[in-house]
């Protein structure tokens, strides 16, 4: 077996390690007490990200879960309703935080690859009736994590924003990977700044910083958000050492996301030829999700496959274990689906090695 020593980490883009240059920038940071608003590096990061999206203000937080949860808390009152997609991170992966932190409830929409439309949202907005929860917020995710890194069409977001305006609803963007969408579709980030009341952006995913997320909104929103962050225990002191990594990422690691997208497409092209692969999600950014088809009958090419030879790759866990024996780490999302995520720690050589292993599986 051809086992190489360097592991190929495709489980998530959260595994990125800070580069030498990023670490240097962190070492060199000027810091102060950010709870007093005196950390110049945190202030510079918040300004930089806000300006990038053309928004008034930003707030540096420890995680994307916190920026989302703070946003929901500022937008809602207990008993209010939040409309979001059934697999959205704010609902699916934040530990029941909407109920726990905000006392709000959710109205779930079954989307298409994680995306919901204005037409789907419209009938879910409750009328002003004492029997009904007060609909207060719509939250979208771009790119959609469980949708395989899919991207919204800006025209659909504009329709959703008009609907929100007509009903006095807030519109939040969980933009953990919004930079991937912006790079993939060559969009103007300021279009997002105009359409959303609040945006959460992760620095610790494809952007390659070790820690941190930024919440954006208008000045009044961020003033309230700063209060909620303190209550949640997210007020950090000399956080400029971490913010410096974010500033470095904003300067150096945005455009290179295109490489990750090209790598994901290379993986998808080879997977599409493997007869143990079933349905594949369309690959638009840095996430590849596919079904392991135990029957090996994709596109009717059920010829002699590794699965029929009893190689034990018939389940997602089986494929994942096989790849691990080649030092390639992927995540089995379920018994049937596997996810691979490309990022700056995955080199062209690693992609080549992975392609060879996939072909031979
Ligand atoms: C990663 C992620 C977050 C935030 O996660 P943290 O680990 O708390 O930083 C939020 N939304 C989406 C879609 C994500 O993928």
């Amino acid at each position: 077996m051809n086992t190489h020593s360097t592991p190929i980490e495709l489980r998530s883009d959260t595994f990125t390690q800070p580069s030498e240059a990023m670490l240097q920038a962190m070492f060199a940071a000027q810091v102060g007490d950010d709870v007093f608003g005196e950390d110049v590096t945190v202030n510079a990061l918040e300004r930089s990200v806000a300006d990038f999206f053309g928004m008034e203000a930003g707030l540096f937080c420890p995680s994307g879960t916190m920026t989302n949860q703070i946003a929901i808390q500022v937008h809602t009152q207990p008993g209010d309703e939040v409309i979001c997609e059934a697999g959205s991170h704010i609902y699916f992966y934040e530990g029941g935080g909407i109920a726990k932190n905000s006392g709000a409830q959710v109205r779930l929409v079954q989307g298409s690859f994680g995306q919901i439309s204005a037409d789907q949202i419209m009938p879910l907005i409750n009328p002003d009736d004492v029997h009904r929860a007060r609909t207060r917020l719509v939250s979208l995710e771009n790119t959609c994590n469980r949708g395989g890194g899919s991207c919204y069409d800006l025209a659909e977001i504009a329709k959703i924003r008009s609907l929100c305006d007509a009903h006095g609803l807030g519109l939040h963007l969980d933009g953990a990977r919004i930079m991937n969408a912006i790079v993939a579709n060559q969009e103007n980030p300021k279009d997002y700044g105009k359409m959303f009341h609040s945006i959460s952006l992760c620095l610790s995913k494809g952007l390659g910083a070790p820690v941190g997320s930024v919440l954006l909104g208008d000045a009044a929103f961020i003033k309230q958000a700063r209060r909620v962050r303190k209550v949640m225990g997210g007020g950090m002191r000399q956080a400029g050492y971490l913010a410096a990594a974010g500033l470095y990422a904003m300067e150096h690691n945005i455009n290179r996301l295109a490489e990750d997208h090209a790598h994901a497409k290379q993986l998808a092209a080879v997977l599409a030829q493997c007869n143990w692969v079933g349905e594949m999600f369309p690959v638009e950014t840095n996430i590849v999700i596919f079904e392991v088809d135990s029957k090996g009958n994709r596109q009717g090419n059920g010829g002699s496959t590794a699965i029929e030879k009893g190689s034990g790759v018939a389940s997602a866990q089986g494929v994942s274990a096989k790849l691990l024996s080649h030092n390639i780490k992927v995540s089995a999302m379920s018994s049937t689906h596997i996810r691979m995520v490309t990022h700056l720690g995955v080199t062209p050589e690693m992609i080549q090695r992975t392609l060879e292993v996939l072909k031979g599986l």
Side-chain angles (χ1 to χ4, degrees):
M1 189 167 297
N2 200 8
T3 303
H4 294 66
S5 51
T6 320
I8 301 176
E9 183 55 80
L10 294 167
R11 284 175 296 174
S12 177
D13 48 8
T14 56
F15 284 89
T16 51
Q17 298 272 335
S19 64
E20 201 55 50
M22 180 180 275
L23 286 169
Q24 287 306 323
M26 294 170 74
F27 269 123
Q30 250 190 288
V31 298
D33 188 332
D34 179 50
V35 176
F36 284 76
E38 292 184 13
D39 189 302
V40 293
T41 310
V42 171
N43 292 343
L45 174 67
E46 292 172 346
R47 188 72 263 142
S48 155
V49 181
D51 287 346
F52 186 85
F53 287 92
M55 291 183 91
E56 273 180 22
L59 183 69
F60 183 56
C61 292
S63 72
T65 298
M66 190 181 279
T67 43
N68 280 332
Q69 291 297 320
I70 289 173
I72 293 164
Q73 200 167 321
V74 174
H75 282 296
T76 63
Q77 294 295 315
D80 286 352
E81 201 158 85
V82 178
I83 297 176
C84 62
E85 207 273 334
S88 61
H89 198 281
I90 61 163
Y91 169 72
F92 202 89
Y93 288 125
E94 296 186 7
I98 296 176
K100 187 164 183 168
N101 298 317
S102 301
Q105 64 184 24
V106 290
R107 190 74 172 271
L108 298 179
V109 188
Q110 194 63 55
S112 168
F113 296 107
Q115 295 171 44
I116 59 180
S117 66
D119 287 345
Q120 284 180 299
I121 295 167
M122 183 143 50
L124 303 183
I125 299 171
N126 290 335
D128 183 7
D129 172 337
V130 292
H131 297 88
R132 311 298 300 277
R134 191 175 70 130
T135 306
R136 186 66 201 99
L137 179 68
V138 174
S139 181
L140 308 180
E141 193 171 301
N142 203 24
T143 70
C144 302
N145 181 16
R146 287 180 64 85
S150 72
C151 302
Y152 269 90
D153 189 338
L154 286 175
E156 190 61 39
I157 298 176
K159 275 168 76 178
I160 294 171
R161 172 59 193 255
S162 301
L163 188 60
C164 289
D165 285 347
H167 292 85
L169 310 181
L171 184 59
H172 173 69
L173 174 64
D174 176 355
R177 296 189 180 83
I178 188 60
M179 294 303 191
N180 292 87
I182 288 169
V183 168
N185 302 307
Q186 299 176 21
E187 291 163 340
N188 181 352
K190 296 189 171 61
D191 287 339
Y192 287 96
K194 282 190 203 112
M195 287 192 287
F196 288 93
H197 296 108
S198 54
I199 296 178
S200 158
L201 160 94
C202 283
L203 300 163
S204 61
K205 302 248 163 104
L207 292 182
V211 176
S213 281
V214 178
L215 179 62
L216 304 171
D218 67 20
F221 180 90
I222 292 300
K223 186 171 179 220
Q224 272 187 275
R226 198 172 288 279
R227 168 172 275 278
V228 176
R229 184 186 69 173
K230 188 74 183 80
V231 173
M232 284 186 167
M236 299 184 286
R237 301 296 176 174
Q238 284 72 40
Y241 291 115
L242 301 174
L247 273 172
Y248 181 91
M250 288 294 294
E251 199 172 326
H252 297 96
N253 292 348
I254 296 175
N255 292 333
R256 63 150 310 285
L257 291 170
E259 288 172 43
D260 302 340
H261 302 164
H263 285 163
K265 288 203 164 75
Q266 280 182 278
L267 291 171
V270 165
L271 284 164
Q273 301 300 314
C274 296
N275 55 10
W276 48 272
V277 172
E279 178 216 10
M280 285 195 64
F281 287 33
V283 175
E284 297 181 43
T285 53
N286 69 329
I287 301 178
V288 181
I289 296 179
F290 61 93
E291 181 193 21
V292 175
D293 185 351
S294 57
K295 293 184 236 32
N297 61 0
R298 186 169 186 276
Q299 295 168 344
N301 64 352
S304 169
T305 68
I307 295 158
E308 286 164 18
K309 288 184 212 140
S311 67
V313 297
S315 67
Q317 281 77 14
V319 171
S320 161
K322 264 272 186 212
L323 291 171
L324 190 60
S325 74
H326 292 271
N327 230 346
I328 299 168
K329 299 179 177 182
V330 302
S331 58
M333 301 175 73
S334 67
S335 62
T336 52
H337 284 76
I338 285 189
R339 187 178 88 149
M340 297 178 174
V341 186
T342 56
H343 52 78
L344 53 72
V346 181
T347 63
E349 294 71 33
M350 289 175 175
I351 291 293
Q352 284 311 318
R353 230 206 293 161
T354 304
L355 296 179
E356 293 312 314
V357 170
L358 288 173
K359 284 175 193 163
L361 213 60

